[in-house]
Amino acid sequence: MFKILLAEDEINLNKILSSRLKKEGYEVYSAFDGQEAYQILLSNPIDLVVTDVMMPILDGVELTKKAREISTDIPVIMLTALSELEDKVKGFEAGADDYLSKPFAFRELILRIKALLRRYKKASEGKLTVGSSVLDYGTMTFTEDGVEIPMGKKEFSILFLLLSSPGFIFSREQILSEIWGYDSETNDRTIDTHITWIRSKISGKDFEIVTARGLGYKAVLK
């Protein structure tokens, strides 16, 4: 079970988000100021941090900096009512991975949490092996039977994403958010085109990329 630190000084919002995150299957550590959140980070193996920017004692930017001092492998999502570019820049410079402006849809928060956890999990695991196929995330290379198959970075990233959870249907929205980012102007047609390119390059003997009509794509192992 993934452990999430939720740092939010607005008591009602903290309780609501904590309850819903628990229903999604996460173990949640709640903090109502930055210093309390920092102490939780020091004493618990946290997998991901969701932090408000404006908090008493220690704000979200400083908390993120301290989180990065503890580990570079903890993804951080910042929540804020602020929308100025300068505030976002400060957050990213402190080491935040993503930024969500209030008010936001809970589903969007969940999608971003799942995307970051997958991304960090992939980076730590490094390689995926499916039969004679090997995907090396460190070098962004795909090989079959020891032969490297030329593949663009976006193609490789999509393939790695699908094979990281065989059988799971990834919507086009999920693929867009993880590979291109939420602010990208890329559309569904771009996803479909990349899937076509991927299919043209793989042999299909170890797995295939299946279209779930009206839903998205999934990798099916053979």
Side-chain angles (χ1 to χ4, degrees):
M1 181 183 294
F2 286 114
K3 296 175 174 61
I4 293 179
L5 168 59
L6 173 62
E8 168 60 65
D9 65 315
E10 191 176 332
I11 296 175
N12 287 337
L13 180 58
N14 191 310
K15 289 182 177 180
I16 290 171
L17 290 178
S18 177
S19 175
R20 297 190 69 175
L21 286 169
K22 288 175 181 177
K23 288 181 180 179
E24 290 288 329
Y26 299 110
E27 184 176 343
V28 182
Y29 293 76
S30 289
F32 297 89
D33 63 63
Q35 185 60 38
E36 182 184 6
Y38 179 52
Q39 292 303 317
I40 291 174
L41 271 174
L42 287 173
S43 56
N44 296 276
I46 299 299
D47 295 300
L48 181 141
V49 176
V50 177
T51 179
D52 189 20
V53 172
M54 304 298 290
M55 288 191 298
I57 306 179
L58 194 70
D59 66 24
V61 173
E62 290 303 314
L63 175 62
T64 299
K65 289 179 180 178
K66 288 185 175 295
R68 285 289 164 262
E69 291 173 359
I70 295 172
S71 173
T72 59
D73 295 328
I74 304 176
V76 178
I77 298 176
M78 281 192 167
L79 306 178
T80 182
L82 304 174
S83 58
E84 294 296 326
L85 177 61
E86 183 179 349
D87 297 304
K88 292 184 179 182
V89 170
K90 287 180 181 177
F92 286 123
E93 286 181 342
D97 297 276
D98 207 347
Y99 208 101
L100 198 55
S101 297
K102 299 176 182 177
F104 55 85
F106 181 72
R107 172 173 165 74
E108 184 175 5
L109 174 61
I110 288 298
L111 286 175
R112 295 192 183 206
I113 287 173
K114 289 182 177 180
L116 279 175
L117 287 173
R118 281 196 303 269
R119 191 178 307 155
Y120 273 74
K121 182 172 181 286
K122 288 189 298 187
S124 64
E125 290 180 346
K127 287 186 179 181
L128 280 177
T129 301
V130 181
S132 64
S133 301
V134 178
L135 291 87
D136 188 323
Y137 195 77
T139 59
M140 302 289 281
T141 55
F142 171 67
T143 59
E144 283 187 334
D145 294 320
V147 179
E148 183 176 338
I149 310 298
M151 193 169 283
K153 288 186 178 180
K154 290 291 192 293
E155 296 165 28
F156 176 89
S157 296
I158 293 172
L159 184 57
F160 201 113
L161 173 65
L162 296 177
L163 283 173
S164 67
S165 301
F168 180 85
I169 298 173
F170 288 89
S171 68
R172 290 175 174 82
E173 177 188 17
Q174 288 174 301
I175 297 173
L176 279 171
S177 67
E178 174 129 357
I179 309 302
W180 277 269
Y182 276 88
D183 297 327
S184 172
E185 297 181 358
T186 303
N187 56 37
D188 289 356
R189 182 169 295 181
T190 301
I191 300 296
D192 297 338
T193 299
H194 279 72
I195 292 292
T196 299
W197 291 342
I198 292 170
R199 284 171 171 162
S200 71
K201 293 178 179 181
I202 63 176
S203 68
K205 69 175 184 177
D206 296 319
F207 61 88
E208 62 179 328
I209 306 302
V210 176
T211 302
R213 194 169 299 279
L215 297 174
Y217 295 99
K218 64 179 178 179
V220 177
L221 307 185
K222 294 184 175 180

